[in-house]
Amino acid sequence: MPIQMSDDLRTGALVYHRGSAATGARPGKIEIQATKPLGNQRDLALAYSPGVAAACDAIAEDPDQAAELTARQNLVAVLSNGTAVLGLGDIGPLAGKPVMEGKAVLFKKFAGIDVFDIEVAEKDAARLIEVVCALEPTFGGINLEDIKAPECFEVEEACKKRMGIPVFHDDQHGTAIIVAAAIVNGLELAGKSLGSVKIVTSGAGAAALACLNLLVTLGAKRENIWVTDIDGVAYKGRETLMDRWKAVYAQETDKRTLGEVIDGADVFLGLSAGGVLKPEMVKRMAEKPMILALANPTPEIMPDVAREASPGAMICTGRSDFPNQVNNVLCFPYIFRGALDVAATEINEEMKAAAVRAIAALAREPSSDVVAKAYGGETRLFGPESLIPSPFDPRLILRIAPAVARAAMESGVARRPIADFRAYEDQLNRFVFRSGFVMKPVFGAAKAAPKRVIYADGEDERSLRAAEVALEEGIATPILIGRPHVIEVRAKRWGLTIKPGDVEVINPEDDRRYRDYVALYLELAGRRGVTPELARTVVRTNATAIAALAVVRGDADAMITGLEGRFHDHLEIIDQVIGRSDAAPDYSTLSLLITGRGVYFLTDTYVTPEPDAVSVAESAIHGARSVERFGITPKVALLSHSSFGSHDTPSARKMRDALRIIQEKAPQLEVDGEMMGDVALLPSLRERLLPSSTLTGEANLLVFPNLDAANIAAQLIKALADALPVGPILVGAKRPAHILTPSVTARGVVNMTAMAVVEAQVGSAD
């Protein structure tokens, strides 16, 4: 049965996956790229014949050299036979391929691990085992995926025994690790011990049994565990729907239903079907029960219903719209990262237990300044609604991967132990901000407290698509400026479900607030050459003015414009209506470019053609504040054609003066200059030129001497590095207001919507 979703989401997903001859987009979600140059005859001789023979000889003599000479040690197989795909069931390996490609993307994005997805047309467990084992020379690890029970148990068990690399069935163990971390923390809050609590399950598939096995490893008692499934209680002597893995938990009892065994339960673990746990059952559970209702999309019991039945209940679901989401992405990329980095021969119980402890401990940590800023200043406190970390927490890889690596070393399964863990953790930390997930914390913060965002170009397809995404993801309450009948017709034309009744629409041709908006515009701009007649015309025809007036009146919290027209025309209106912040001497823009190499912020890319030293300094200081909202510590480089006094030109002197101003006004900022672009990005080169430089590592906030340099650099990076642009982010207005560019995509509008919401949450766009 197809998974329920909106028509727009289904259509959008198909467009997302499909290739396009017009844009050059390839079908699917992944591709293979070379990591070494192949630009001349010598490169060809090194990469293939005859040079490749040297690498082959070295590996034949010492197989461990494969980790140094090939991609194997960072390569994982995501392998499935398609017999238990998501909520779709046995749809076959080919239909399951999009899911495996998706898993490959998560491995790469969250942990930098390369993946080949392998779909195998084989349901016989014995033959599937032979296929998996034959792949060992290719991979550093195997992630089994979407294989139905009980075959998944047989395949994993046999392959682990025969293979010298990690074999991990994520549907089982990924879920188990997150569940165990939540239970450990929930029991701590309830003042209970794992060894004494009663655990009742609904569902006895691969994930449920893996959860129970891991909980037993951590200290739960088998005699306190009651398993139920579609056929009722697993009891000794039962013959239907039983196997040797489930039989381990069979009880000597005459009770036959979930309702009969739920009395006094401290933990309910649901991995079954929606609605099976009734409120009256919850009332008969122990005080402060833990309820893990993980069926999707409808949990075994809805959180509000469970809490009404037992006000002290601590509740987890598999859904992102409730607290305590049990999401496998919290652990599987990082477990493999740690295992691969020590060349582990397996992922054993000690490594899984280490991951549980790391995840549970991270949830109990106070938010760091960086993480708090990433969530709009919110400090996430450990408690009943924060038992496990957010999937967006950048510290996950920094806690889990080292813990797993250490456990592998201590349990004797690491073939390449890590000698310097501080250096290893530094390496992981650098990866965090090169992962391309810089927008995730911003979206997380926006969802926590959505604001009203008004789109000046409300009839544009990109605005309509962005508004629909904003509603679906809960990041903002969109307001559209446009004619309702035009919005409705265009939304239907583009296959969108959004319509004027779903969102507020300000109709320039007929809105009850027209006179109020005209009066306000005259009040704000009347002494800047705006006559009453002009004010009436502007408020009828200029959508940017309408949006700005809505923000000033409090009808909206933030605005987005610029999909049509000239940047400076929009800025003039924003300056007239919203005005500049008292803390900012001038406006500037910050452009974010997300590349495969890393994340870079560039200022000022759109506003001031020839800024003086004071403007450059202020642009850098305000830009740094925006960078911090992404959970990133700004490292500021003042760029020039000169490095540390190598030239004495006006532009070089300007950047030196800007440095002095920044050091006086914001001494806490990590900043240096003037310097050339390569010096900013290559710490080794900077160390040779000026060992005493106050900038460490790679710069991420690049400040240019003038508009030409900044804009040209931004456009070149975007084109040459195939970078994802975010912005421009307007800095200096009293209220959140952003002017995008006509080339922006719908995705770009969504990104800026989230950014505008976060700015509105803190009350100012700085």
Side-chain angles (χ1 to χ4, degrees), residues 306-540:
R307 194 165 284 111
E308 183 178 350
S310 179
M314 290 171 279
I315 305 162
C316 301
T317 70
R319 291 171 43 155
S320 61
D321 53 346
F322 294 115
N324 296 323
Q325 183 194 15
V326 174
N327 187 332
N328 286 14
V329 80
L330 275 164
C331 70
F332 74 79
Y334 317 122
I335 289 171
F336 268 96
R337 182 72 279 157
L340 294 175
D341 289 340
V342 294
T345 56
E346 62 176 310
I347 296 174
N348 58 25
E349 295 304 304
E350 291 88 347
M351 294 160 74
K352 287 185 275 184
V356 171
R357 289 190 291 269
I359 294 167
L362 180 56
R364 295 194 295 269
E365 285 186 33
S367 292
S368 68
D369 291 342
V370 170
V371 174
K373 287 172 183 172
Y375 284 89
E378 175 191 359
T379 300
R380 293 175 167 255
L381 300 176
F382 175 54
E385 295 200 348
S386 187
L387 298 172
I388 45 182
S390 164
F392 302 141
D393 196 320
R395 297 172 296 177
L396 284 164
I397 193 171
L398 306 178
R399 301 292 187 275
I400 299 172
V404 169
R406 286 185 188 277
M409 291 163 57
E410 291 168 1
S411 60
V413 299
R415 289 181 298 183
R416 294 162 57 89
I418 293 170
D420 185 346
F421 265 88
R422 179 173 293 181
Y424 177 56
E425 289 163 2
D426 285 345
Q427 175 186 336
L428 295 175
N429 195 53
R430 286 196 299 273
F431 169 76
V432 167
F433 295 114
R434 290 186 177 180
S435 63
F437 273 75
V438 68
M439 288 301 298
K440 290 295 184 182
V442 177
F443 275 82
K447 288 181 181 180
K451 298 292 183 180
R452 299 164 299 167
V453 177
I454 187 166
Y455 299 91
D457 304 288
E459 296 176 359
D460 190 284
E461 177 183 1
R462 294 163 292 180
S463 292
L464 290 172
R465 290 193 181 279
E468 184 152 289
V469 171
L471 283 174
E472 286 186 350
E473 297 194 5
I475 61 173
T477 300
I479 302 169
L480 301 173
I481 297 176
R483 295 159 293 178
H485 67 281
V486 174
I487 289 172
E488 188 166 10
V489 168
R490 291 183 177 180
K492 286 181 180 178
R493 180 194 308 162
W494 295 318
L496 303 177
T497 59
I498 195 171
K499 52 186 181 295
D502 298 330
V503 296
E504 181 182 349
V505 174
I506 294 179
N507 182 1
E509 295 179 346
D510 181 23
D511 191 275
R512 56 184 171 76
R513 292 162 290 194
Y514 171 71
R515 293 182 184 276
D516 295 334
Y517 277 33
V518 171
L520 179 59
Y521 187 44
L522 270 173
E523 177 187 337
L524 295 170
R527 291 185 179 273
R528 300 176 70 172
V530 175
T531 64
E533 183 178 352
L534 178 58
R536 287 190 289 270
T537 300
V538 168
V539 176
R540 283 278 188 225

Side-chain angles (χ1 to χ4, degrees), residues 37 69 111 255 281 301 326 525 667 724:
L69 298 172
K255 296 177 180 180
M281 297 181 188
I301 188 169
V326 174
L724 171 65

Side-chain angles (χ1 to χ4, degrees), residues 668-714:
Q668 78 286 355
L669 267 186
E670 185 175 333
V671 58
D672 208 348
E674 84 285 12
M675 67 181 75
M676 297 174 71
D678 55 353
V679 177
L681 301 182
L682 299 173
S684 59
L685 179 56
R686 190 163 63 250
E687 174 71 18
R688 289 204 302 272
L689 291 176
L690 188 70
S692 63
S693 173
T694 52
L695 181 65
T696 61
E698 185 176 299
N700 53 34
L701 176 54
L702 307 178
V703 181
F704 292 83
N706 59 38
L707 179 62
D708 279 347
N711 190 273
I712 291 169

